[in-house]
Amino acid sequence: MDLTNILNLINQIAMILIIVSLVLFSYRLIYIVLGFKKGKRYKKTNQKGKYAILVPAREESSVIENLLKSIKKQTYDKNFFDVYVITESESDLTNRITQNYGYNYFVRKDLENKQTKGYALDEVIKNIYSKKLSYDAFFIIDADNTIAPNYLEEMNKAYFAGIDVGMSYKNVTNLDYNWVSCCSSLLFCNVNTFQNKAKTRFFNTMLISGTGLYISSKIIDNFKGFPFTSLTEDYELTNFITLNKYKVGYVETTEVYVEQPIKLSTINKQRIRWCRGYFDVNKKLNKETKKTFKSKNSNKLGILECKLSLIPNVVAIVTLLLYSLSLIVVAILAIITKDIEILETSLLTLLKFLAVYYLSLSLYTVLQFIAERDRIFVSKKLMLITVALNPFFINLFIYQAVVALFSKNIGWKKIERADEILSIDELVNDEENVTIGVNNG
């Protein structure tokens, strides 16, 4: 067995895969460059849209008040938006808090096998249409979020600029809690700054991430509901708007603030669900995507970007795994044959390869911090820890994707909160300066 020839062949194949991976990633350099430039600013308008703010909020009494307070502080005319907080039980204390702030709460009734976020949105929108209420657009904001005071005002500008689906900048409230929340937060930097800013500009598509967006009634009127009910309703919506050439916009002049998990176990549960949803949506829409792509006036570039954007990542991961495992096998064979020279060469090559891979992801992490220096603030210590650990955090997606691929019964699960659910006594003591007024729709 000539291990030298085997090692040379492995190195040659690996070099080809690495070059292919770099070529596939090359266009992302344009995304990164654009990430350091100011995004599109929408023109001021005197027109005012009428909006419905939909808040899925099952058992969210520990966090919902912060969101309601931020809605109260909106600079946008209060007569031009309504709030609907969606729960699953009349006994949920979230209802009481919502009522105290003078907003609508809606208790779901159709719950059997319909406990994803998409089904919650579908049920409340159907209820709104049944009452002949009319809105220009529907906002989706999660219960643990807060929104900037100018949120509706800035999103209103995008709406009257002709944007059918608009998504704001997404910031994180607990970014500086620990390295897990900080690494998780950087995903939004990637989506916000290094993806959507370019995607909306060049391809009329964007990666929608669950909250902090509006959908024009131009779209919702077609269904009089919300048909995107998979585990990842946001990715399903992403595909729908791209396939149907709806105009999308990224509004970086305002922010929605979200909370991120602080435990790796919670991250794993959340992202395994994301991966399973990704697989399900692609399988569901595979035929429609091919048919639409072939049609004459389709958004071909947008569809390609939407469907193939993960290919560079997949090639990079395959290269990482195959090259690393091949070098390990060669090292084991070298031990068996007592070929010390090949053992040293294979192990040294492996270490160099992994070091370059690790440093590349660390450098990418540094670029994220630099690009977001005016919006995310963490201590130097936590920043250094995050730069060191984020490469490992990113590669957890390999494990999560494998688990999701072979898991069948993955459902929506409540994300753990740092705060405890409020008691009724705490509610009573906190009812000052709020108005009791609106009941369940």
Side-chain angles (χ1 to χ4, degrees), residues 9 35 59 87 149 169 206 210 256 279 333 351 358 361 380 434:
L9 179 62
E59 298 177 2
T87 63
Y169 181 91
M206 66 179 174
V256 59
F279 297 141
L333 292 174
L351 288 174
Y358 171 83
L361 292 178
K380 290 181 180 179
V434 293

Side-chain angles (χ1 to χ4, degrees), residues 24-211:
L24 291 173
F25 269 112
S26 60
Y27 79 100
R28 298 279 185 90
L29 293 175
I30 300 174
Y31 284 17
I32 293 173
V33 171
L34 284 176
F36 285 89
K37 297 181 178 294
K38 285 187 177 181
K40 183 173 182 178
R41 265 46 175 179
Y42 292 96
K43 293 180 180 179
K44 188 175 181 179
T45 178
N46 292 323
Q47 294 176 284
K48 289 186 175 68
K50 178 75 172 180
Y51 303 119
I53 301 176
L54 311 180
V55 185
R58 181 180 71 174
E59 298 177 2
E60 298 285 17
S61 58
S62 65
V63 294
I64 188 68
E65 193 164 16
N66 289 328
L67 172 59
L68 299 179
K69 285 178 180 178
S70 70
I71 293 174
K72 283 286 186 184
K73 294 177 181 178
Q74 289 301 294
T75 57
Y76 195 69
D77 192 330
K78 307 298 188 294
N79 295 313
F80 283 83
F81 67 87
D82 295 320
V83 179
Y84 297 87
V85 174
I86 312 160
T87 63
E88 294 184 358
S89 169
E90 287 284 358
S91 61
D92 191 334
L93 295 179
T94 308
N95 301 332
R96 177 76 172 272
I97 298 172
T98 302
Q99 192 176 44
N100 289 345
Y101 276 82
Y103 295 132
N104 302 284
Y105 70 86
F106 175 81
V107 180
R108 295 187 61 202
K109 298 177 179 61
D110 187 14
L111 293 171
E112 188 173 356
N113 298 320
K114 293 183 177 181
Q115 290 190 307
T116 66
K117 180 178 175 181
Y119 282 117
L121 295 168
D122 182 54
E123 193 170 339
V124 73
I125 290 174
K126 285 178 176 175
N127 181 266
I128 289 171
Y129 273 88
S130 72
K131 294 183 176 182
K132 309 296 183 184
L133 298 173
S134 179
Y135 296 100
D136 292 300
F138 295 82
F139 281 82
I140 301 172
I141 302 175
D142 288 346
D144 63 343
N145 298 174
T146 57
I147 54 179
N150 69 341
Y151 187 81
L152 291 177
E153 189 174 344
E154 291 298 312
M155 299 298 272
N156 181 67
K157 293 178 184 178
Y159 176 80
F160 282 104
I163 300 299
D164 298 314
V165 179
M167 192 167 74
S168 69
Y169 181 91
K170 191 170 293 183
N171 212 328
V172 178
T173 55
N174 63 335
L175 181 141
D176 59 347
Y177 188 90
N178 61 15
W179 72 269
V180 175
S181 65
C182 194
C183 288
S184 183
S185 301
L186 290 179
L187 174 65
F188 293 120
C189 167
N190 180 46
V191 172
N192 284 328
T193 307
F194 289 162
Q195 288 199 52
N196 283 339
K197 191 179 288 189
K199 288 182 177 184
T200 53
R201 180 173 178 177
F202 296 126
F203 305 113
N204 191 35
T205 186
M206 66 179 174
L207 183 59
I208 294 172
S209 51
T211 184

Side-chain angles (χ1 to χ4, degrees), residues 142 317 346:
D142 288 346
I317 290 169
S346 58

Side-chain angles (χ1 to χ4, degrees), residues 284-300:
K284 176 182 177 181
L285 298 178
N286 184 46
K287 289 183 179 179
E288 182 182 350
T289 300
K290 290 179 179 178
K291 181 180 177 181
T292 303
F293 182 79
K294 292 176 182 178
S295 63
K296 185 177 180 180
N297 297 317
S298 66
N299 178 16
K300 288 183 170 56

